Amino acid sequence: MANRVFFYNNPAMSRDLVEGGSARRAHQQLLAEGALIPFLLNEREPTERPAGMDLDEAGFNAWRDTVESMPSGERMTCVRMSWNDQENVRDARSALFNPFAARVQGLTAKDIPLLASQLGVRADLLGPFSERIGEVVQSSNELRTQGALVTRNHLYERFVSLPGSRVSDGRFDRRKPFAGEVKQLLDLIYNVNLADALEMYPLTPADSLRRVILQEWRDLRVQTSQDVIRDPEEVVRYLQRQIFATVQDRLTPAGIDALELEDVRTLRQTDEWQVYMSAFDTLVADPGTFQERVHQVFSGYVGLNSRIVALSQRRRSDASGETRWAPVVEVAVSIGGSMITAVTGDGAWAVTGSLGGAVAGAYGGSVQLILRNRAAGRREQKFAREIAAIRFDSVREWEQLQELVRRLPGYRETRAAGAATGSSTTQEIPEY
């Protein structure tokens, strides 16, 4: 599921629509199958032009043509906060705009040195960085006190974008202090905010910030008690269980970059895809069975990538760009301001920890499952997803976890983690 604007303002998506032919047809089929679902804000149907927003006109026209030319027997799914216009305005404010503003305004209440460290800000720039974060928060507060809604676009215009350019152009002003860091924070807040509103998991690029940077352990959102790990020993079991053999002499999953959208749809029809998704859905439904079931996810991942390799070879004119693939499983446990990772390989788990950021009160975080190419690092991480939430009720449990982790064979501790890289009577919602 994605904001409907993503389909036509993002060239990576719109190019298939503009190109037409088999690429556009594949897009239509993925829409009809519910593999791609647009999230609508004010609009009542997906081809309605968003109000008050800069658009890529070629992309939007191609999107409109794509939807309108879908075969009569195909229907696409769209999601909105409510299909009642008045309820939609109310729910969008309470579930999207207000939480977004609250997260932005809460930035100065974070551990700023920790935040700066995770964003890669040099220690000697901590003062100016803190001031800039304060300016972002102040701008948000001013909008709220004026009765206006706080939007990412507004904050982009003031702190990130090149003056005179459209936000959709993606042109950032390097002269604005910490424009890159502010952009990363706003993007992370925006992405997790929409996912939380829809009770879904956020999917973000592999080299983008991790959610742990937002320091949400004080107010961790818990869906059900079954989703939460409260026992420190259970967390450690995520880090120390089965060893997975490193698979050698395979092609890199980066081969997926050579695929066309129609290839993606072909992959989704394969037995390998079904096996992989079934294994992962089973693990997510019961993350406590990690030891017994993660090998099925890994095996499915390897099988699926063999299909990717076969498809990518058909697209390549030569094999000069191929590299070896050494797939590994990584489990990343984020608690408070700390990060513990366990990576398979060389016959054992390699466990690394950054056990800082201790705070008083409850400790919360998450467990994330990552599948990637060990040799290439996160540059070739092709999958990452949160599989469980963690909440400890006391400092004693947090200290117990630290002690257990430090006892793990081969444990190595590092410094603080780096970049966790309508109706006339109804008010219309401004662009979110």
Side-chain angles (χ1 to χ4, degrees):
M1 185 180 302
N3 188 324
R4 78 287 188 219
V5 177
F6 178 76
F7 291 92
Y8 37 84
N9 264 14
N10 188 315
M13 290 290 288
S14 64
R15 66 183 182 187
D16 292 314
L17 311 182
V18 173
E19 178 182 329
S22 59
R24 177 181 289 188
R25 179 62 190 139
H27 201 115
Q28 290 175 328
Q29 291 171 319
L30 291 171
L31 287 168
E33 293 166 1
L36 298 175
I37 301 177
F39 172 78
L40 308 181
L41 190 59
N42 288 300
E43 306 79 23
R44 296 197 64 85
E45 52 91 14
T47 59
E48 183 178 340
R49 187 184 185 90
M53 183 171 193
D54 297 326
L55 300 183
D56 178 331
E57 294 297 336
F60 181 71
N61 290 334
W63 164 255
R64 180 175 284 173
D65 291 343
T66 299
V67 174
E68 293 177 347
S69 63
M70 290 178 68
S72 58
E74 294 181 351
R75 294 288 184 272
M76 62 184 292
T77 300
C78 296
V79 171
R80 208 169 83 144
M81 297 306 297
S82 173
W83 293 105
N84 176 287
D85 289 337
Q86 292 183 344
E87 291 180 358
N88 188 56
V89 171
R90 179 198 65 199
D91 293 348
R93 282 179 175 271
S94 62
L96 291 176
F97 290 93
N98 292 345
F100 178 79
R103 281 186 162 115
V104 172
Q105 291 164 3
L107 287 175
T108 49
K110 307 297 183 186
D111 182 332
I112 297 297
L114 176 62
L115 183 65
S117 173
Q118 292 177 317
L119 280 164
V121 176
R122 299 200 322 260
D124 61 310
L125 296 177
L126 178 59
F129 173 75
S130 299
E131 292 177 4
R132 192 58 167 173
I133 293 299
E135 292 169 1
V136 173
V137 171
Q138 181 180 359
S139 179
S140 175
N141 287 336
E142 290 173 353
L143 287 171
R144 293 289 286 173
T145 56
Q146 295 167 6
L149 295 177
V150 179
T151 69
R152 182 174 63 165
N153 278 3
H154 170 85
L155 297 175
Y156 257 40
E157 289 173 356
R158 179 166 178 182
F159 298 101
V160 177
S161 297
L162 191 68
S165 69
R166 301 180 305 177
V167 170
S168 60
D169 292 337
R171 300 176 63 190
F172 309 128
D173 191 348
R174 295 181 180 275
R175 296 170 298 179
K176 293 182 176 180
F178 304 99
E181 290 80 3
V182 171
K183 177 189 181 301
Q184 291 183 78
L185 277 174
L186 294 178
D187 287 350
L188 178 62
I189 291 172
Y190 182 90
N191 287 328
V192 303
N193 196 56
L194 178 60
D196 283 357
L198 300 175
E199 297 188 351
M200 302 179 72
Y201 290 110
L203 296 177
T204 54
D207 58 352
S208 62
L209 300 180
R210 293 189 180 191
R211 185 170 187 162
V212 65
I213 281 184
L214 297 180
Q215 304 176 23
E216 297 172 307
W217 53 88
R218 288 182 178 273
D219 54 357
L220 181 68
R221 182 176 59 87
V222 176
Q223 295 179 358
T224 67
S225 59
Q226 288 78 16
D227 291 333
V228 182
I229 299 171
R230 296 180 180 272
D231 182 358
E233 293 186 0
E234 187 173 351
V235 176
V236 172
R237 283 194 288 271
Y238 276 91
L239 304 176
Q240 69 181 155
R241 291 294 187 178
Q242 284 188 336
I243 299 169
F244 299 93
T246 302
V247 181
Q248 301 293 341
D249 300 322
R250 291 182 179 269
L251 298 174
T252 171
I256 199 171
D257 297 334
L259 302 185
E260 303 290 343
L261 195 60
E262 57 192 295
D263 298 322
V264 174
R265 184 173 184 274
T266 298
L267 281 172
R268 292 174 58 86
Q269 310 304 314
T270 63
D271 291 340
E272 288 85 354
W273 173 269
Q274 300 302 325
V275 168
Y276 172 65
M277 291 305 300
S278 176
F280 188 77
D281 288 344
T282 301
L283 176 60
V284 170
D286 187 7
T289 61
F290 180 84
Q291 175 190 1
E292 295 80 12
R293 292 178 174 168
V294 73
H295 72 280
Q296 297 171 356
V297 178
F298 188 54
S299 297
Y301 175 72
V302 172
L304 181 61
N305 273 289
S306 67
R307 280 282 190 160
I308 292 174
V309 167
L311 284 171
S312 66
Q313 285 177 326
R314 299 175 192 173
R315 293 287 181 186
R316 293 178 186 271
S317 58
D318 61 75
S320 60
E322 294 175 359
T323 59
R324 295 300 183 185
W325 178 38
V328 293
V329 176
E330 176 178 350
V331 178
V333 180
S334 305
I335 304 176
S338 299
M339 175 72 70
I340 306 165
T341 63
V343 183
T344 64
D346 302 325
W349 285 104
V351 183
T352 303
S354 175
L355 304 178
V359 296
Y363 290 77
S366 67
V367 178
Q368 187 179 45
L369 178 65
I370 301 166
L371 304 177
R372 63 179 174 87
N373 183 358
R374 185 186 189 97
R378 297 192 181 280
R379 180 169 52 84
E380 290 186 6
Q381 173 182 317
K382 295 300 178 185
F383 171 88
R385 185 168 173 184
E386 180 179 307
I387 60 174
I390 301 171
R391 187 166 186 113
F392 296 153
D393 295 324
S394 71
V395 174
R396 181 184 59 81
E397 291 166 324
W398 166 233
E399 292 174 343
Q400 180 186 354
L401 173 64
Q402 294 183 69
E403 181 180 354
L404 289 169
V405 169
R406 288 188 172 110
R407 292 178 184 173
L408 292 174
Y411 172 75
R412 177 172 58 88
E413 189 156 333
T414 66
R415 58 181 297 179
T421 343
S423 168
S424 60
T425 60
T426 301
Q427 179 182 357
E428 189 175 72
I429 311 168
E431 181 53 39
Y432 172 63

